[in-house]
Amino acid sequence: MSPLPPPPRRLTASGVRLAAAALVAAFATASPVVIEAARAQTSIQAPGAASSPKRIADGVWFFEGAREHFSRANGGDIVNTGFIETADGAVVIDSGPSLRYGKAQREKIREVTGRDVRRVYITHAHPDHFLGNQAYEDVPVEALAPTVRVIQRDGETLTQNLYLLVGGAMSGTIPRAPSPLTGLGPGGAASAGTSPRLGDATTVEIGGRKLRLIALAGHTAADLAVFDEQTRTLFAGDLVFFERAPTTPNADLDVWLAALAQLQALPYQVLVPGHGPVVSDGAAIAQTRAYLEWIRDTLTTAAAEGLDMNEVMRTRAPERLRRLAVLEEEWQRSVMHLYPAIEERSLPITTPR
Amino acid sequence: MQRRAFVVLMTLGGWSGGSALAATSTAATSSAAAAAAAPLAAPVPASLATDPLQSPQWPGMQKRFFDGQTVVFDPRVTVVMPASAEDPLLVPVEVHVTGLADVEQLLLFADLNPIPKILEYFPSQAEPSLAFRLKVEQSTPVRAAAKTRDGVWHVGGSWVSATGGGCTMPSVASSEPIWQERLGEVAARQWSRPAGHSRLRMRIIHPMDTGLAAGIPVFHVDTVTISDGGGRELARLVLFEPVSENPVLSVDLKHQGDLRIVGRDTQGNPIDARVSL
């Protein structure tokens, strides 16, 4: 294969994302645009491989995914992942959607930092976040205990499904379950089966860098957030989406909203959402909250009025949410995910006992 | 319960030996076919050539359900579904008939399901419209045929593409079946609508087993009759295997007030409930 220029999407995305660029400039000593341009001349971007990382704080970088659904064109690279440099090597947050992505991610981290990866944390059990684990079989990969269990149980199904959606970019990818983080969060290893404790946190020190690991839930049964104490950078995983409609296949809206309140209380200066641009203020959390509250209220009202699913799907989002990428699709999906349980509560049992 | 059935579908080859996942690969083709079909402006005699959904299975459907009868493709009969089935075991379907008088029966079927026939609806004192959820094996046309008093079948429909998705995939967590202790239990509610009409929604606890998963015989809700307080039939449904487990049905009755819901499943287990406004 002859060297090709990188896909225009990446250049365009970095060019127009003014808010993100301004933010990056505020926190980085080197211009990320220059870094990306240099990288673009030397590497070929295969579909679904991790893009070039962008520096968002001192020693903190993120790989930005497309604000799209899975497709053959994007090869599954729709997710934000990141890493934090330490004296002992990088700490990676999420390994991405495929072996190809994970390998590219690890290679680029070596290029940027001159060191290898020391640890990988997986935020939750959705396949775009953990299927790069194969690239880290010689590195500790850890996640909350329920996340580990879901990957062990459903990993094959999730992987096959992603293959069908993105095709060849998944080549060679097989699910690898992380190890459970001990003593943290919902059903921590020492206490499997105990009830979730939202907001359990522990601080780990790796290569002189202190990272706060926070056990939350709501987007899925277990969602890990990683907070870098030094730069106050928060990797929020898919608890926070920005400018892209949140996904809800395993969501518990009330738990999710409680988790957002906990995240908002953290003294972060930079927030990396699971999907969408990095922010330095509360805008991403506020937008995620507004969307989830709209979903919850709309579905509850619809059930009380006796609507069926297709009728509910025709509800239009309020003006302030309409700019979110893939809004219509995600709203329809959310109705299918969440309405059955909500309508069930609106239908009283009428069979005589 | 849906989760359990999903595991069965995945691991035992689902309906007919092809896995639900393998089926999703046809989605792109099907969507393309659907996009190519022009919407009908007026009823046309039904044939392979005139099928707005361009389904190769239409001739087989026509022979099976309408042999020797008059059938037209009719834009006044519509089937509303999301374009993409988030969960192939739970495809929401909404049927409307507008501007067509004297509809005596609705017949729902899906051309490409291994068991095409979904349900029959006899809306004697109800609107010829309903909503329910469907299991699909793969991307398929879903059709509604409305039979008018003159014996003509008016057919409308649309395609649904059965695609899953990484984040989109439902968990395959198993859960304790409630079918042993609550089989046939009805949860229902009636909502007042203008002109003395009402919306009835009901959920019936039932596994709706298709018989196509190894080791699990056919077992589904058969008939459900909705009557008023005086015993007059308002509407009757006959369900078949493709209706989703724990069926949720929405109908619009030309009646308000006390209702009785009576039915049985394929093993004769009774369904019996009363609903008031």
Side-chain angles (χ1 to χ4, degrees):
Chain A
M1 195 176 170
S2 60
L4 295 171
R9 172 172 66 72
R10 302 205 171 281
L11 295 178
T12 307
S14 63
V16 300
R17 205 158 294 138
L18 296 176
L23 173 72
V24 163
F27 287 95
T29 52
S31 160
V33 177
V34 171
I35 290 169
E36 188 163 36
R39 199 69 62 211
Q41 287 166 9
T42 58
S43 65
I44 302 164
Q45 183 76 51
S51 57
S52 293
K54 294 169 187 168
R55 186 171 166 176
I56 48 176
D58 182 19
V60 183
W61 304 69
F62 94 120
F63 298 88
E64 183 166 20
R67 269 173 260 162
E68 302 169 359
H69 274 305
F70 296 113
S71 71
R72 285 173 190 267
N74 63 40
D77 181 12
I78 63 162
V79 61
N80 294 338
T81 67
F83 66 93
I84 299 162
E85 296 180 56
T86 85
D88 291 343
V91 175
V92 172
I93 293 98
D94 283 340
S95 62
S98 65
L99 171 61
R100 175 186 286 176
Y101 184 104
K103 284 167 83 170
Q105 183 192 51
R106 188 167 183 179
E107 186 181 319
K108 284 171 176 168
I109 292 169
R110 282 199 199 102
E111 284 177 23
V112 166
T113 68
R115 288 194 175 88
D116 202 353
V117 171
R118 175 64 184 253
R119 176 94 41 105
V120 180
Y121 290 117
I122 300 300
T123 58
H124 66 291
H126 281 164
D128 47 334
H129 296 262
F130 71 80
L131 281 176
N133 285 0
Q134 258 175 302
Y136 298 101
E137 295 194 294
D138 55 341
V139 177
V141 180
E142 299 182 345
L144 294 170
T147 302
V148 175
R149 289 196 292 271
V150 171
I151 292 172
Q152 286 169 340
R153 189 188 65 201
D154 301 345
E156 289 289 344
T157 305
L158 293 166
T159 307
Q160 286 177 20
N161 201 40
L162 200 50
Y163 259 96
L164 288 167
L165 290 170
V166 309
M170 289 285 293
S171 184
T173 303
I174 48 177
R176 294 278 192 239
S179 307
L181 279 160
T182 50
L184 177 66
S191 53
T194 56
S195 56
R197 288 177 57 195
L198 205 61
D200 262 9
T202 185
T203 300
V204 294
E205 187 166 342
I206 300 171
R209 202 135 184 169
K210 284 183 181 162
L211 303 178
R212 200 188 308 176
L213 307 177
I214 308 154
L216 297 162
H219 174 66
T220 66
D223 295 284
L224 178 70
V226 179
F227 182 69
D228 174 47
E229 303 274 4
Q230 180 181 317
T231 63
R232 297 187 174 183
T233 301
L234 173 61
F235 285 90
D238 278 4
L239 288 170
V240 179
F241 285 67
F242 193 43
E243 307 296 20
R244 192 250 192 242
T247 66
T248 59
N250 310 107
D252 182 322
L253 296 181
D254 290 334
V255 174
W256 192 342
L257 287 164
L260 287 179
Q262 297 221 7
L263 290 179
Q264 187 52 41
L266 293 170
Y268 65 86
Q269 292 191 3
V270 182
L271 183 149
V272 184
H275 301 262
V278 169
V279 296
S280 59
D281 59 16
I285 289 178
Q287 190 188 69
T288 303
R289 169 185 303 284
Y291 184 79
L292 298 180
E293 287 176 342
W294 173 69
I295 288 185
R296 181 192 60 187
D297 296 348
T298 305
L299 296 182
T300 304
T301 303
E305 291 175 351
L307 302 189
D308 211 301
M309 276 173 145
N310 284 288
E311 294 170 315
V312 185
M313 286 180 199
R314 291 194 282 273
T315 309
R316 277 202 86 193
E319 183 67 37
R320 67 184 193 282
L321 296 173
R322 281 187 212 151
R323 65 179 182 176
L324 271 56
V326 295
L327 171 68
E328 287 296 318
E329 299 95 315
E330 292 300 350
W331 164 238
Q332 291 203 353
R333 294 174 61 204
S334 289
V335 173
M336 290 184 265
H337 298 146
L338 303 171
Y339 198 57
I342 290 174
E343 75 181 353
E344 190 178 333
R345 297 199 287 270
S346 78
L347 298 175
I349 293 169
T350 52
T351 303
R353 283 276 169 184
Chain B
M1 293 81 39
Q2 175 187 318
R3 308 303 187 209
R4 186 198 72 124
F6 192 69
V7 174
V8 170
L9 193 75
M10 304 298 297
T11 56
L12 301 181
W15 289 92
S16 58
S19 82
L21 288 173
T24 62
S25 61
T26 61
T29 322
S30 306
S31 300
L40 282 177
V44 294
S47 71
L48 180 62
T50 59
D51 180 8
L53 303 184
Q54 300 184 359
S55 161
Q57 289 298 321
W58 172 256
M61 296 296 110
Q62 186 163 357
K63 181 160 180 50
R64 174 172 179 161
F65 295 119
F66 313 112
D67 201 22
Q69 303 180 69
T70 306
V71 193
V72 295
F73 291 125
D74 194 325
R76 291 172 289 186
V77 180
T78 51
V79 174
V80 179
M81 299 179 289
S84 179
E86 177 69 3
D87 179 346
L89 295 178
L90 200 78
V91 180
V93 181
E94 185 183 57
V95 181
H96 292 285
V97 180
T98 49
L100 202 52
D102 303 325
V103 174
E104 296 184 334
Q105 181 184 354
L106 288 176
L107 168 67
L108 273 287
F109 58 94
D111 297 20
L112 299 179
N113 253 6
I115 302 173
K117 196 172 186 178
I118 304 164
L119 66 78
E120 295 171 355
Y121 184 44
F122 300 88
S124 47
Q125 296 298 320
E127 296 293 337
S129 60
L130 81 160
F132 63 97
R133 286 126 208 203
L134 166 70
K135 296 180 286 226
V136 295
E137 160 80 1
Q138 62 172 75
S139 298
T140 178
V142 177
R143 315 234 194 203
K147 187 182 188 182
T148 42
R149 192 168 297 157
D150 57 8
V152 176
W153 288 96
H154 305 259
V155 177
S158 57
W159 277 89
V160 64
S161 77
T163 52
C167 278
T168 79
M169 207 58 175
S171 132
V172 288
S174 58
S175 57
E176 283 301 308
I178 57 172
W179 295 310
Q180 293 292 334
E181 49 197 47
R182 292 172 57 191
L183 186 79
E185 177 187 286
V186 179
R189 184 169 161 191
Q190 188 184 19
W191 283 264
S192 168
R193 292 290 189 252
H197 291 196
S198 67
R199 159 72 55 97
L200 173 68
R201 307 196 69 216
M202 59 182 143
R203 177 173 180 266
I204 305 169
I205 302 294
H206 207 284
M208 300 298 288
D209 288 318
T210 63
L212 294 172
I216 304 176
V218 176
F219 182 41
H220 60 83
V221 174
D222 186 6
T223 58
V224 177
T225 303
I226 303 155
S227 307
D228 67 13
R232 178 183 62 141
E233 180 177 312
L234 302 172
R236 180 162 46 94
L237 290 138
V238 184
L239 309 190
F240 296 91
E241 292 89 338
V243 174
S244 298
E245 72 182 28
N246 299 334
V248 176
L249 303 156
S250 299
V251 296
D252 291 312
L253 305 172
K254 297 173 179 172
H255 169 84
Q256 271 181 15
D258 292 352
L259 297 175
R260 181 134 188 236
I261 300 166
V262 174
R264 58 180 162 77
D265 65 19
T266 51
Q267 290 185 19
N269 296 302
I271 293 162
D272 192 351
R274 290 173 193 278
V275 184
S276 302
L277 255 183

